[in-house]
Amino acid sequence: MQIPIVRLALGDAEVEAASRVIRSGWVAQGPEVAAFEREFAAATGAPHAVAVSNCTVALELSLRVAGVRPGDDVATVSHSFIATANAVVAVGARPVFVDVQPHTYSMNPDALARAITPRTRAILCVHQIGFSCDLPAILAIAQSRGLPVIEDAACAIGSEIRIDGNWQRIGRPHGLLACFSFHPRKLITTGDGGMITTSDPALAERLRLLRQHAMSPSTARHESNRVTLESFSEPAFNFRMTDLQAAVGRPQLARLPAIIAERRALAARYTEALADHPLLAPPTEPAWLRSNWQSYPTTLRTSGRMSQIEIMQFLLDRGVASRRGIGNAHSEPAYSKCAWSCGPEPCDPAAHAAGRCLRLPVSERARDYTILLPLFHGMSPAEQDYVVATLRALPG
Ligand SMILES: *Cc1c(COP(=O)(O)O)cnc(C)c1O
């Protein structure tokens, strides 16, 4: 049996939706994007949702409208897909990397408080692999420093957090803006695609302007029976989503509750199977969050005798794909030369080169001691049985 890390569950509804758009004669941003935005806002409980080409540009645009300028600092995490750090650099700012919490893989609020510099202009937190970050603590720090919070919710559609005794959906948003991804590795896919949610109508309007070259009027000229001349108020971008993409996303969004229920059941099954496993420990889902199980992370037990790579190779040899923990931007060549800050102190290149720089121990451990198991909606019981049996066959 071959079990991939993720398998797409697209079917007739998505084929029909794409065909409908192709036959309509309108494939660029139009009515399907508008409908997807309305339905996404309803699904996350957000007043406004603005579709864009992908989550990386969603983050870039969000930082820009939040007022981040070249030379500013943005407090964020290294332990994330590289897009998080790249979005900060894209607006000319410097990422200040903060360590994460072990059980949520997301920003540690105490480390955040220590990392804020006089130049910090925004906080970019990540709801990593579907686990929510500690929003109440992060928002309290942001408020006391007068800083906007942008949530990288790329992986967190449908994840929930309990605040003041109530379960709330990620992306409502709790910060100023939240950004989602529709890359095939996430729960809902449009091939590539992104969405920004906000409660602020003026920000939503500004995002709509900037994603389309700051062009006005933004409505389709072909619908007007009068000659209209467009104008462009400032240099901006083409970050549009197409109607083809949006149409494919809509039926998946309608299935989201069922998708999450299925993924929770798969995760529970793994957690039960790993309870007494000699090498791998199941994740701990804190009582205040409900993951959408975008990924299922297991942790190497310290008593185990096989390395991360050896376990992954054992699984792969038997047809089971896995991935190591989320990467760390500060360990990548792109960020390893003080292109980021070590914290409040200026980066010392010599110390950095000698490995004496500030470390992010929890982030580094999370990458090297975590193995992500295959988990996707549409995974059959026989497939999961096979993964569990292969895990049991690991020489403990
Ligand atoms: C996938 C991902 C992104 C980037 O999303 P794209 O839509 O591929 O640009 C950003 N941040 C995190 C945490 C992600 O997992």
Side-chain angles (χ1 to χ4, degrees), residues 54-56 80-81 83-84 126 128 152 154-155 181 183 186 193:
N54 56 65
C55 184
T56 309
S80 184
F81 182 55
T84 310
V126 181
Q128 196 53 264
D152 181 342
C155 300
S181 171
H183 180 270
K186 325 292 179 178

Side-chain angles (χ1 to χ4, degrees), residues 53-59 77 79-85 125-129 152-156 179-186 191-195 294 326:
S53 323
N54 56 65
C55 184
T56 309
V57 299
L59 294 168
V77 290
H79 190 62
S80 184
F81 182 55
I82 197 85
T84 310
C125 58
V126 181
H127 302 295
Q128 196 53 264
I129 57 173
D152 181 342
C155 300
C179 302
F180 294 85
S181 171
F182 306 116
H183 180 270
R185 187 71 179 82
K186 325 292 179 178
D192 260 315
M195 191 74 78
Q294 184 267 345
I326 301 297

Side-chain angles (χ1 to χ4, degrees), residues 348-367:
D348 170 359
H352 201 109
R356 281 187 281 109
C357 234
L358 169 130
R359 311 287 303 215
L360 299 167
V362 183
S363 301
E364 288 169 17
R365 200 181 153 77
R367 187 193 68 169

Side-chain angles (χ1 to χ4, degrees), residues 117-354:
T117 73
R119 297 199 305 184
T120 305
R121 185 58 66 91
I123 296 167
L124 174 55
C125 58
V126 181
H127 302 295
Q128 196 53 264
I129 57 173
F131 286 69
S132 160
C133 66
D134 186 352
L135 276 173
I138 291 169
L139 291 171
I141 293 166
Q143 201 172 16
S144 73
R145 312 286 178 113
L147 294 170
V149 172
I150 295 157
E151 301 169 57
D152 181 342
C155 300
I157 184 170
S159 299
E160 292 172 288
I161 180 167
R162 197 174 58 204
I163 298 179
D164 299 333
N166 300 312
W167 285 106
Q168 302 182 6
R169 282 164 285 185
I170 294 298
R172 212 183 48 171
H174 294 86
L176 188 63
L177 301 138
C179 302
F180 294 85
S181 171
F182 306 116
H183 180 270
R185 187 71 179 82
K186 325 292 179 178
L187 268 67
I188 286 180
T189 187
T190 59
D192 260 315
M195 191 74 78
I196 310 172
T197 59
T198 183
S199 310
D200 183 334
L203 275 185
E205 194 178 326
R206 182 138 181 79
L207 292 167
R208 289 182 203 287
L209 191 69
L210 292 179
R211 75 174 167 186
Q212 172 149 260
H213 297 301
M215 181 172 99
S216 59
S218 61
T219 44
R221 273 165 291 170
H222 72 281
E223 284 171 358
S224 177
N225 52 15
R226 293 194 164 256
V227 173
T228 44
L229 301 177
E230 69 279 17
S231 86
F232 304 89
S233 55
E234 62 188 294
F237 313 94
N238 173 3
F239 286 164
R240 290 182 303 249
M241 177 183 275
T242 70
D243 260 21
L244 263 171
Q245 291 169 298
V248 169
R250 293 176 65 196
Q252 296 173 72
L253 189 58
R255 293 199 301 271
L256 183 64
I259 287 172
I260 291 175
E262 191 178 336
R263 299 179 80 103
R264 289 204 173 128
L266 289 162
R269 174 88 204 292
Y270 273 143
T271 296
E272 196 190 314
L274 289 171
D276 53 2
H277 195 278
L279 298 181
L280 295 171
T284 311
E285 191 181 29
W288 50 269
L289 75 81
R290 283 187 194 145
S291 178
N292 64 4
W293 298 104
Q294 184 267 345
S295 286
Y296 186 86
T298 63
T299 312
L300 263 68
R301 293 194 198 269
T302 42
S303 54
R305 279 193 299 272
M306 278 177 91
S307 73
Q308 183 191 45
I309 304 297
E310 285 165 348
I311 293 174
M312 291 173 67
Q313 189 65 52
F314 180 95
L315 298 176
L316 190 60
D317 289 344
R318 287 151 186 81
V320 177
S322 65
R323 295 284 182 274
R324 74 170 178 180
I326 301 297
N328 292 314
H330 76 280
S331 307
E332 295 299 324
Y335 289 91
S336 61
K337 299 210 174 54
C338 289
W340 55 288
S341 164
C342 305
E345 313 81 33
C347 184
D348 170 359
H352 201 109

